Amino acid sequence: MHFISEELENYVAQHSENEPELLARLNKETHQKILQPRMLSGHFQGRVLSMLSKLIRPKNILEIGTYTGYAALCLAEGLTEEGELDTIDNNEELFDFQKKYFDQSQWAGKLHQHLGNALEIIPTLNKKFDLVFIDADKENYINYFQMIVPLMNKGGVILSDNVLWSGKILGEVKSNDKSTNVLLTYNRLLKEDPRVETVLLPIRDGLTVSRVL
């Protein structure tokens, strides 16, 4: 998941904005109590998400894949005064963990948790989005993208995480490795789809920024 040396990663983090105190506590508790803490966006990527959101100034944000809520709180930093964020996850065990930190944040009441299948929940939200973060099951990335594009405001941004998939996208891919094969197709789709313009950033495990035309 890391493509530069630990020393360089530390230097990058030290010369980026500090991790907010609430997020530092969330980060620490995730590593102490939750399985697969590497799924957390973390300090540097979190500051990237925050910066992008602040530049976009979204009214409506959609996040697919909440995990412990770290990325949602980073994205919320750019919300407009009347803005809201909807986040979807299918892990019932993490719901209360997320809510605890959401309720402690300055965006309490603006962060709406949804539990279940994102492909079923998204059509019920009845919103147009300015910013979307896709960070859930890789096998449905294409399905999420196709569902989301018509729901985006012009100029809106779709962020897709883990698109480098620990470098697996460069090696020989087995036919039964569905996640890697889907990501290869997904990355080509984002490059070729005339509805978006895309840049793939080699941040952490790969973060794609796609602007809706």
Side-chain angles (χ1 to χ4, degrees), residues 38 82 158 167 192:
R38 57 178 278 180
E82 69 279 14
I158 300 171
E192 298 170 0

Side-chain angles (χ1 to χ4, degrees), residues 91-100 113-115:
N91 190 339
E92 186 175 357
E93 293 180 357
L94 292 178
F95 190 90
D96 290 339
F97 187 103
Q98 300 157 10
K99 189 175 189 302
K100 178 176 70 172
Q113 297 168 268
H114 304 274
L115 186 63

Side-chain angles (χ1 to χ4, degrees), residues 6 18 25 27 44 71 84 87 102 119 140 154 156 161 200:
E6 185 177 351
N18 293 332
R25 285 194 279 116
N27 193 338
F44 174 61
E84 296 181 320
T87 183
F102 289 173
L119 294 172
N140 270 311
K154 185 176 180 179
D161 201 15
L200 197 165

Side-chain angles (χ1 to χ4, degrees), residues 39 63-69 87-95 98 113-118 121 135-136:
M39 291 172 57
E63 179 187 47
I64 306 173
T66 316
Y67 189 47
T68 56
T87 183
I88 306 170
D89 204 286
N90 61 6
N91 190 339
E92 186 175 357
E93 293 180 357
L94 292 178
F95 190 90
Q98 300 157 10
Q113 297 168 268
H114 304 274
L115 186 63
N117 186 323
I121 292 171
D135 187 20

Side-chain angles (χ1 to χ4, degrees), residues 9-212:
E9 285 194 344
N10 290 335
Y11 184 88
V12 167
Q14 290 165 7
H15 291 79
S16 299
E17 286 296 308
N18 293 332
E19 184 178 40
E21 188 270 337
L22 177 66
L23 289 175
R25 285 194 279 116
L26 192 163
N27 193 338
K28 182 178 180 180
E29 187 173 359
T30 297
H31 279 81
Q32 289 175 335
K33 299 180 179 179
I34 308 297
L35 292 174
Q36 297 181 300
R38 57 178 278 180
M39 291 172 57
L40 189 90
S41 289
H43 173 195
F44 174 61
Q45 184 172 334
R47 292 304 87 205
V48 172
L49 296 177
S50 167
M51 181 68 77
L52 289 171
S53 185
K54 288 172 180 174
L55 291 170
I56 295 164
R57 294 293 291 155
K59 179 179 179 182
N60 287 314
I61 300 175
L62 171 65
E63 179 187 47
I64 306 173
T66 316
Y67 189 47
T68 56
Y70 191 100
L73 288 168
C74 294
L75 295 168
E77 293 177 31
L79 281 171
T80 60
E81 190 73 25
E82 69 279 14
E84 296 181 320
L85 182 149
D86 291 275
T87 183
I88 306 170
D89 204 286
N90 61 6
N91 190 339
E92 186 175 357
E93 293 180 357
L94 292 178
F95 190 90
D96 290 339
F97 187 103
Q98 300 157 10
K99 189 175 189 302
K100 178 176 70 172
Y101 282 95
F102 289 173
D103 287 348
Q104 292 178 53
S105 77
Q106 66 188 80
W107 303 281
K110 293 186 174 186
L111 307 179
H112 308 298
Q113 297 168 268
H114 304 274
L115 186 63
N117 186 323
L119 294 172
E120 297 175 357
I121 292 171
I122 292 169
T124 71
L125 298 178
N126 297 316
K127 291 181 179 179
K128 298 281 281 186
F129 297 99
D130 307 296
L131 178 59
V132 173
F133 184 41
I134 304 175
D135 187 20
D137 55 313
K138 312 312 164 194
E139 295 179 10
N140 270 311
Y141 265 36
I142 294 170
N143 295 327
Y144 295 141
F145 178 78
Q146 299 292 10
M147 178 174 284
I148 286 166
V149 171
L151 303 178
M152 298 294 296
N153 286 316
K154 185 176 180 179
V157 171
I158 300 171
L159 304 174
S160 308
D161 201 15
N162 304 117
V163 291
L164 294 180
W165 207 223
S166 298
K168 292 180 183 179
I169 41 82
L170 291 180
E172 183 177 345
V173 183
K174 296 180 181 179
S175 59
N176 64 350
D177 185 351
K178 189 170 182 181
S179 293
T180 305
N181 280 300
V182 168
L183 282 172
L184 285 167
T185 302
Y186 183 70
N187 290 340
R188 286 196 301 271
L189 171 64
L190 294 187
K191 175 66 167 62
E192 298 170 0
D193 194 309
R195 297 173 296 177
V196 297
E197 57 180 351
T198 291
V199 60
L200 197 165
L201 305 176
I203 292 172
R204 216 161 157 261
D205 197 25
L207 179 70
T208 299
V209 181
S210 303
R211 177 176 173 269
V212 178

